[in-house]
Amino acid sequence: MLVANGFVQDEVQATPQLTLTFGLRYDWQSTIDNRNNFAPRFAFAFSPGKSKKTVIRGGAGIFYDNLPGSATEQSLLYDGARLRELVISNPSFPNPFLTGETITPAPSIIRLAPDLQAPYLSQTSVGVEQELWHKNSLTVEYSFLHGTHLFRSRNINAPFPQTEVRPDPNFLNINQVESSAFERSHSLTVTFRGRLGKFFEPYAQYVFSNTTNNTDGIFSLPANSYDLRPEIGPADFDWRHRFNLMGAVTLPWACRLGLVLSAMSAAPFNITTGFDNNGDTVANDRPAGVTRNTGRGPGSTQLDLRFTKSFSVPLLWGEQRAKLKRNSLEFSVDAFNAINHTNINGIVGVLSSPFFGRANSALEARTIQLSVRYIFRR
């Protein structure tokens, strides 16, 4: 998002103030035959009234993305000739070729679609910042993002439904990178910055958002390459509610306490059958009527703390000793995930698994870190 910088606040001047910013960027890359990649951008900041305690900001722009180098590398490497798959049934140990039966299936390839286009994001936002009292402000901002021509892969040689016959019998899978995906995102952000009393400086932010797309990444494959409609669903990072609080507390005896609190609602996960029901060699099939990322796991909460104690250390050498300058010695204790809350980041979505709906991974538990820092005064 573009932000108009250099906004002047003058308590004496009574007329409203408006700042405008315009920009234009052109993106081009040799791996995509697409030349019409102009990206205009616009931003403004407006302060009405005499007190200059209210600022309205907004902006819009187009932002292009590049085709990752890994896509070109994979298309050159998996071309059906340089790498081949070898399957050994009933292998022996340690030499699998003694008793195993060697099978060489048809090669699989990765290729780039001939009509590949550069993906771009269209983003617009508008917000109002209001000074509540001295050194305290509240900002409310709405933003909308629309992604066009996003990358995803599709197996264009998957077996036809019902017949199980592949379009090209000379290959097993032909995973084609296409620029046919999209993304839509709405978000409302409320931010408080300020100072409460003489000892606490908080920064609090709440975000309510909704993000929908139909791709998990450039190499992600749909459950059914001939029906892409069920791929439309919540994005992997679609946390509807997020809250962050950061602050520093000044304590007596040269002590400080810093905190970072993060809380977010559940992230989605994909529900699959656990089997290759359509015979495309990828076990990402979903039950009938189930679309992508329909499951929801638990939310997460993490509190990180830092306690610091400073000591004044006199100079023992140098010319500055006569000026009575002193260095500092700081002892710090960091507690990551101080409340030791179990934050799950992986859910078993395989419907046939006995662990379906249960967690299979989590973030780190409480971690304590000690540090010492010596600060030289010049």
Side-chain angles (χ1 to χ4, degrees):
M1 182 191 69
L2 292 177
V3 178
N5 295 322
F7 190 80
V8 179
Q9 296 188 10
D10 190 348
E11 296 290 344
V12 179
Q13 186 176 358
T15 59
Q17 295 187 16
L18 175 65
T19 300
L20 300 176
T21 303
F22 297 89
L24 178 65
R25 178 185 173 94
Y26 178 76
D27 290 86
W28 175 82
Q29 57 176 327
S30 59
T31 53
I32 296 180
D33 188 17
N34 183 229
R35 302 293 182 264
N36 190 25
N37 300 333
F38 292 94
R41 299 164 192 187
F42 161 77
F44 73 91
F46 175 66
S47 178
K50 180 179 179 180
S51 63
K52 302 294 186 285
K53 293 185 178 181
T54 303
V55 181
I56 302 174
R57 294 185 176 92
I62 295 177
F63 304 86
Y64 280 90
D65 197 3
N66 295 325
L67 177 69
S70 58
T72 305
E73 294 172 0
Q74 295 291 311
S75 65
L76 295 175
L77 187 62
Y78 294 94
D79 61 349
R82 290 178 173 84
L83 285 180
R84 297 295 299 269
E85 181 180 359
L86 184 68
V87 180
I88 303 175
S89 60
N90 300 320
S92 59
F93 180 82
N95 187 351
F97 294 96
L98 291 178
T99 60
E101 180 181 356
T102 303
I103 302 175
T104 304
S108 295
I109 64 175
I110 297 176
R111 73 182 190 186
L112 305 180
D115 58 346
L116 206 62
Q117 300 185 54
Y120 65 90
L121 299 177
S122 304
Q123 183 174 349
T124 181
S125 65
V126 61
V128 179
E129 180 179 352
Q130 175 67 45
E131 182 181 353
L132 304 177
W133 59 88
H134 183 59
K135 294 185 179 181
N136 290 266
S137 64
L138 182 69
T139 303
V140 180
E141 181 183 42
Y142 166 78
S143 63
F144 171 74
L145 184 146
H146 183 256
T148 307
H149 300 312
L150 303 186
F151 294 128
R152 67 175 169 190
S153 294
R154 184 170 63 93
N155 185 2
I156 62 175
N157 203 45
F160 288 120
Q162 308 300 330
T163 64
E164 298 185 357
V165 177
R166 296 180 181 271
D168 189 343
N170 297 318
F171 295 97
L172 183 63
N173 296 321
I174 303 178
N175 296 337
Q176 179 172 272
V177 177
E178 302 177 341
S179 54
S180 57
F182 76 92
E183 179 177 307
R184 289 192 301 267
S185 177
H186 301 266
S187 65
L188 179 67
T189 304
V190 180
T191 305
F192 173 79
R193 299 181 181 88
R195 184 181 183 93
L196 302 179
K198 299 181 179 180
F199 306 103
F200 185 43
E201 299 180 9
Y203 173 90
Q205 185 179 78
Y206 167 74
V207 180
F208 173 71
S209 63
N210 181 11
T211 303
T212 302
N213 61 13
N214 59 354
T215 177
D216 291 328
I218 187 170
F219 295 115
S220 65
L221 291 168
N224 184 355
S225 293
Y226 296 108
D227 185 7
L228 302 179
R229 291 172 297 177
E231 298 304 311
I232 301 176
D236 291 344
F237 49 88
D238 181 41
W239 301 287
R240 297 296 173 88
H241 305 275
R242 284 172 288 165
F243 176 76
N244 296 289
L245 173 64
M246 295 179 288
V249 181
T250 303
L251 302 175
W253 304 296
C255 296
R256 298 192 307 274
L257 178 65
L259 64 92
V260 177
L261 173 64
S262 300
M264 62 182 63
S265 57
F269 66 91
N270 212 11
I271 297 177
T272 64
T273 62
F275 301 99
D276 180 19
N277 303 101
N278 57 8
D280 62 356
T281 72
V282 182
N284 63 347
D285 302 69
R286 291 187 291 267
V290 177
T291 57
R292 173 176 150 270
N293 280 347
T294 54
R296 287 277 177 177
S300 62
T301 302
Q302 178 153 331
L303 175 64
D304 299 334
L305 299 174
R306 161 171 278 201
F307 177 80
T308 302
K309 167 65 177 176
S310 298
F311 296 91
S312 181
V313 180
L315 294 177
L316 301 179
W317 63 87
E319 298 179 357
Q320 292 183 345
R321 181 179 181 184
K323 300 179 182 179
L324 299 179
K325 290 188 176 181
R326 303 170 71 89
N327 292 337
S328 297
L329 185 65
E330 287 188 355
F331 291 88
S332 299
V333 180
D334 296 291
F336 304 100
N337 192 10
I339 58 178
N340 204 29
H341 185 266
T342 301
N343 294 313
I344 295 171
N345 63 351
I347 300 291
V348 178
V350 180
L351 196 61
S352 58
S353 171
F355 303 102
F356 172 75
R358 297 171 58 180
N360 61 354
S361 63
L363 300 179
E364 293 184 357
R366 181 192 297 122
T367 304
I368 306 297
Q369 174 181 285
L370 304 177
S371 60
V372 179
R373 184 172 68 162
Y374 190 86
I375 303 176
F376 295 91
R377 304 294 182 185
R378 294 185 179 180

